[in-house]
Amino acid sequence: MKTRLSEDGTKLIATYELHPFDFDRSGTLAPWTLALIIGYARLANLITSPSIFYLPGYLQTLTSFLRYQEFHLQPAFYRDVKPNSTVEVRVEVGHVGKTSYVLQGDVRLEGRDVVLCRFSVQSVVVDIVTKRPTALPEHLRQKSSGPRPVSRLPFSSEHPCMASHRFQVQESNLDFNGHTNQSNYSRFCFDTAAFATKAGLYPSLNGDLLNYPVKKIAMLYQKEALLGDVLDVESWEIPSRPPSLGFKVRRGGDDVFQGLFEFYGEQRAKL
């Protein structure tokens, strides 16, 4: 991945060449791979200088925990993204609070103006030893732009579970903090939904989940999951048109993660 600043200095642009193994069997860039690519671009902002949000001491005395993120996938994401193409992740600063910050932007094909995905990611800065929230430097707080993010998560009430699946956290699932990497939660949820769709456990989805293109993914991170933890993914359909799926990831009695997948109204061939 290569990075550069935009001409006006307000965005960091990261480029990434896509490979065939980044795609699922339907030929679509896997959502967990998209989450990793966006995550790499966000990390570059924190550890490289010049950047738009360089944080001194990051990964030495400070680190950050992801709190919430949203991806809005446009029709061009399914139509135009192919192996061996190069994508640009354009990152800018959103709302900045005392200890939290939002990095937001979009993903495009290199050299083109068509937006493939819009994203917004909220993180909390913590002391790398105590894991307690740590105040951001004033010069970074002054970069704040836009409102605090608003989400539909966490879910306000209990929903009847329609499908569930169990996963155990592997070494390959971990990030540099020793926690389950954020991208794996979307994979755990997608795999659970794929089993359930094939089994006909959702009222509105059946057969192959890959036939239902995702329009929006929302993810709320509540606790850390570590190596060897056993995670139970619970899923249900939210009554809506087009359909949506809700997810909870639990470790014993603790809620670790909540997620939302909203789908397009048409199946893939009609997009």
Side-chain angles (χ1 to χ4, degrees):
M1 178 174 280
K2 299 179 181 180
T3 62
R4 70 181 191 276
L5 292 180
S6 61
E7 291 184 2
D8 62 5
T10 63
K11 299 179 180 66
L12 184 135
I13 302 173
T15 58
Y16 179 85
E17 183 179 354
L18 300 172
H19 303 280
F21 52 76
D22 293 323
F23 292 75
D24 64 27
R25 57 185 166 79
S26 73
T28 299
L29 182 64
W32 46 91
T33 303
L34 176 66
L36 273 177
I37 294 170
I38 292 173
Y40 294 150
R42 291 188 293 102
L43 178 62
N45 274 288
L46 300 172
I47 63 175
T48 60
S49 181
S51 73
I52 59 170
F53 207 76
Y54 175 68
L55 185 58
Y58 193 76
L59 299 184
Q60 298 171 359
T61 60
L62 301 173
T63 189
S64 60
F65 292 164
L66 202 60
R67 175 59 176 165
Y68 178 76
Q69 63 179 343
E70 281 188 5
F71 299 159
H72 296 262
L73 306 178
Q74 308 302 307
F77 176 81
Y78 297 96
R79 183 183 65 239
D80 298 343
V81 182
K82 307 295 181 185
N84 303 317
S85 57
T86 298
V87 293
E88 291 184 346
V89 183
R90 305 185 181 197
V91 186
E92 62 185 5
V93 180
H95 178 82
V96 181
K98 183 178 180 180
T99 63
S100 68
Y101 61 92
V102 172
L103 294 178
Q104 60 194 24
D106 59 56
V107 181
R108 311 179 187 203
L109 288 177
E110 186 178 37
R112 297 181 58 183
D113 290 332
V114 177
V115 173
L116 307 172
C117 170
R118 301 187 190 277
F119 63 87
S120 176
V121 185
Q122 183 184 34
S123 301
V124 178
V125 177
V126 300
D127 182 278
I128 202 167
V129 176
T130 67
K131 305 300 189 288
R132 301 293 300 173
T134 300
L136 284 158
E138 183 61 30
H139 74 277
L140 292 181
R141 295 183 63 183
Q142 292 176 0
K143 291 177 175 283
S144 183
S145 174
R148 185 183 299 274
V150 178
S151 79
R152 290 172 58 183
L153 304 175
F155 294 106
S156 58
S157 60
E158 291 294 322
H159 295 264
C161 177
M162 296 180 180
S164 63
H165 198 74
R166 176 166 289 182
F167 299 87
Q168 186 172 30
V169 178
Q170 309 295 318
E171 176 63 35
S172 58
N173 299 142
L174 302 182
D175 62 16
F176 51 80
N177 287 318
H179 304 157
T180 302
N181 185 276
Q182 50 88 15
S183 65
N184 285 293
Y185 289 101
S186 60
R187 182 171 61 83
F188 295 157
C189 292
F190 196 91
D191 285 349
T192 300
F195 292 135
T197 301
K198 185 175 182 179
L201 300 180
Y202 300 127
S204 302
L205 306 176
N206 59 78
D208 191 343
L209 183 64
L210 294 180
N211 290 332
Y212 299 91
V214 179
K215 183 177 183 180
K216 173 183 174 181
I217 302 175
M219 294 164 277
L220 176 69
Y221 303 85
Q222 298 172 285
K223 291 183 181 295
E224 302 82 37
L226 308 177
L227 178 65
D229 283 353
V230 175
L231 304 178
D232 292 303
V233 182
E234 301 174 358
S235 177
W236 61 93
E237 182 176 331
I238 300 170
S240 62
R241 283 293 179 269
S244 301
L245 298 179
F247 300 90
K248 281 189 178 182
V249 178
R250 300 180 186 268
R251 180 187 54 219
D254 293 332
D255 287 345
V256 173
F257 170 92
Q258 294 193 31
L260 173 71
F261 287 4
E262 292 183 1
F263 296 90
Y264 278 97
E266 304 85 9
Q267 292 196 26
R268 185 181 303 273
K270 299 179 181 180
L271 272 183

